[in-house]
């Protein structure tokens, strides 16, 4: 059974960098699939942040204007999200997910990140 | 960017009833459309992909239809566990992958 688990700070100061990791169990991340991040801001809908292919190619939402980076750590079987220059608008529940050709079939439980001084 | 628009924003349905959710794309996405169910505090769940194919373990009371720009998710015989927010997502033309704004199905 494939499982994903997010980890990282729950509070980040404005203008600083948000960093989250997603540990994957039950599947080797370099065996296939896209691995990515989606967020849910309070009172809003789901927003796709980006994906990284198992071979390392990355795809990002242009709305993040070069603030976002996703990377793989195959030695730890995990992948990570970095979002720079955060503001209060980046406050959200952040989900990591595995995506196949047809949709994201496995998600983490989500982690709340609050941007506040 | 393909914009996905869902309607209605909220749908009140009695248990045992039927819910019909709509999703419209700003341009054709062929059948490259997925539906997700999201309950508070839980991970979103893939329900439908390819516009009408149920994901593994999804009950047959969930059905998807449509192609091009107009899509429908129908939930028949609503159970208590079906009250949630539902999102459509296109994966035809990306990046970016885009979600609709969601439809909340609540108990009437």
């Amino acid at each position: 059974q494939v499982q994903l688990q997010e980890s990282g700070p729950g509070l980040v100061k404005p203008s600083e960098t948000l960093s989250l990791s997603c540990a994957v169990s039950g599947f080797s991340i370099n065996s296939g699939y896209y691995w990515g991040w989606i967020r849910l801001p309070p009172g809003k809908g789901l927003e796709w942040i980006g994906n990284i292919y198992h071979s390392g190619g990355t795809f990002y939402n242009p709305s993040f204007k070069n603030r976002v980076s996703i990377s793989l750590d195959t030695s730890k079987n995990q992948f990570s999200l970095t979002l720079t220059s955060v503001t209060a608008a980046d406050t959200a529940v952040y989900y990591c997910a595995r995506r196949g050709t047809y949709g994201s079939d496995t998600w983490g439980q989500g982690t709340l990140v609050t941007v506040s001084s | 960017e393909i914009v996905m628009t869902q309607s209605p924003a909220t749908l009140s349905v009695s248990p045992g009833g039927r819910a019909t959710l709509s999703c419209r794309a700003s341009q054709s996405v062929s059948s490259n459309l997925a539906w997700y169910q999201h309950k508070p505090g839980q991970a979103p769940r893939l329900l439908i992909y390819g516009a009408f194919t149920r994901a593994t373990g999804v009950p047959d009371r969930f059905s998807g239809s449509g192609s091009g720009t107009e899509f429908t998710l129908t939930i028949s015989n609503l159970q208590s566990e079906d009250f949630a927010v539902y999102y459509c997502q296109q994966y035809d033309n990306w990046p970016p992958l885009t979600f609709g704004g969601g439809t909340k199905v609540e108990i009437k």
Side-chain angles (χ1 to χ4, degrees), chain B residues 29-103:
Chain B
V29 298
S30 187
S31 295
N32 297 313
L33 189 286
W35 290 94
Y36 295 87
Q37 176 192 66
H38 191 206
K39 299 177 185 179
Q42 296 188 19
R45 175 192 182 193
L46 176 65
L47 291 178
I48 301 282
Y49 61 88
F52 58 84
T53 302
R54 281 186 295 275
T56 303
V58 175
D60 60 6
R61 62 179 183 273
F62 291 90
S63 63
S65 62
S67 66
T69 61
E70 301 284 344
F71 300 89
T72 301
L73 175 68
T74 302
I75 314 170
S76 303
N77 186 23
L78 265 156
Q79 304 295 299
S80 57
E81 61 266 30
D82 300 336
F83 293 97
V85 180
Y86 293 83
Y87 295 94
C88 62
Q89 181 203 48
Q90 69 82 21
Y91 51 89
D92 184 72
N93 189 346
W94 68 286
L97 294 167
T98 48
F99 290 92
T103 292

Side-chain angles (χ1 to χ4, degrees), chain A:
Chain A
Q1 181 185 2
V2 183
Q3 292 185 312
L4 282 69
Q5 179 65 59
E6 305 89 349
S7 63
L11 181 64
V12 182
K13 290 182 167 55
S15 80
E16 295 192 346
T17 296
L18 180 161
S19 295
L20 296 174
S21 294
C22 181
V24 180
S25 58
F27 190 88
S28 175
I29 62 173
N30 58 10
S31 294
Y33 288 89
Y34 295 92
W35 305 91
W37 295 90
I38 301 101
R39 70 182 186 181
L40 182 67
K44 297 187 178 181
L46 295 170
E47 181 178 29
W48 178 73
I49 300 171
N51 281 128
I52 186 166
Y53 198 44
H54 66 93
S55 58
T58 52
F59 307 85
Y60 300 126
N61 191 328
S63 69
F64 288 89
K65 295 183 173 65
N66 300 319
R67 294 194 299 133
V68 64
S69 176
I70 298 174
S71 60
L72 295 174
D73 186 341
T74 55
S75 66
K76 296 181 179 178
N77 209 42
Q78 68 182 34
F79 60 102
S80 298
L81 169 71
T82 300
L83 184 63
T84 62
S85 304
V86 298
T87 69
D90 295 309
T91 293
V93 177
Y94 285 76
Y95 297 95
C96 60
R98 182 180 81 166
R99 179 173 173 267
T101 305
Y102 305 116
S104 296
D105 63 355
T106 310
W107 297 62
Q109 287 298 306
T111 186
L112 174 63
V113 178
T114 302
V115 179
S116 175
S117 56

